[in-house]
């Protein structure tokens, strides 16, 4: 297993969760890490990702609420999620990928972790 995600759970609206994804050293070093999510009946969406020159990109609906970060010593990427709303309910996946033609393209997927926002 090259990507191992954890940290999902049930949280009330307005609450916070932090997802973690441990990667192998090779993947963590040579690929850009990202988080996707998929809600029931919907397509898988890119939530946040690292890019070249230290850039970070977020989808509009999570800007100001979610923060992606990384710990190079632990080969781990995090997704801090604050101000959660029911629409954030989804299975969250971490990925490792490259930037191809200006777009993030995942090469490796971890297993998903369920995040449920409900009162």
């Amino acid at each position: 297993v090259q990507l191992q995600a954890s940290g999902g759970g049930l949280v009330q609206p307005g609450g916070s969760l932090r997802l973690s994804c441990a990667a192998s050293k090779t993947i963590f070093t040579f690929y850009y890490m990202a988080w996707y999510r998929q809600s029931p009946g919907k397509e898988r969406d890119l939530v946040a990702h690292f890019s070249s020159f230290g850039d970070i990109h977020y989808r509009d609906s999570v800007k100001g609420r979610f923060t992606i970060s990384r710990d190079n010593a632990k080969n781990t990427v995090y997704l801090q999620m604050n101000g959660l709303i029911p629409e954030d309910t989804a299975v969250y996946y971490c990925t490792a990928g490259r930037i191809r033609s200006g777009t993030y393209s995942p090469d490796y997927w971890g297993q998903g972790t369920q995040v449920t926002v409900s009162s």
Side-chain angles (χ1 to χ4, degrees), residues 32-89:
Y32 294 114
M33 303 299 292
W35 289 95
Y36 280 76
R37 68 185 182 187
Q38 187 169 25
S39 302
K42 296 186 178 180
E43 294 185 355
R44 200 169 287 185
D45 292 325
L46 179 59
V47 176
H49 73 91
F50 289 97
S51 185
S52 54
F53 308 109
D55 288 346
I56 294 175
H57 298 270
Y58 297 95
R59 69 181 299 103
D60 287 346
S61 61
V62 307
K63 285 180 180 178
R65 300 189 297 122
F66 290 11
T67 302
I68 189 172
S69 62
R70 56 189 290 155
D71 185 330
N72 293 334
K74 296 181 178 179
N75 298 328
T76 299
V77 64
Y78 302 98
L79 185 68
Q80 178 67 44
M81 305 184 294
N82 299 328
L84 284 161
I85 59 178
E87 290 75 16
D88 296 319
T89 295

Side-chain angles (χ1 to χ4, degrees), residues 3-6 35-36 90-94 109-115:
L3 296 172
Q4 186 77 30
S6 61
W35 289 95
Y36 280 76
V91 178
Y92 284 72
Y93 301 87
C94 68
W109 290 81
Q111 93 291 357
T113 185
Q114 176 71 47
V115 172

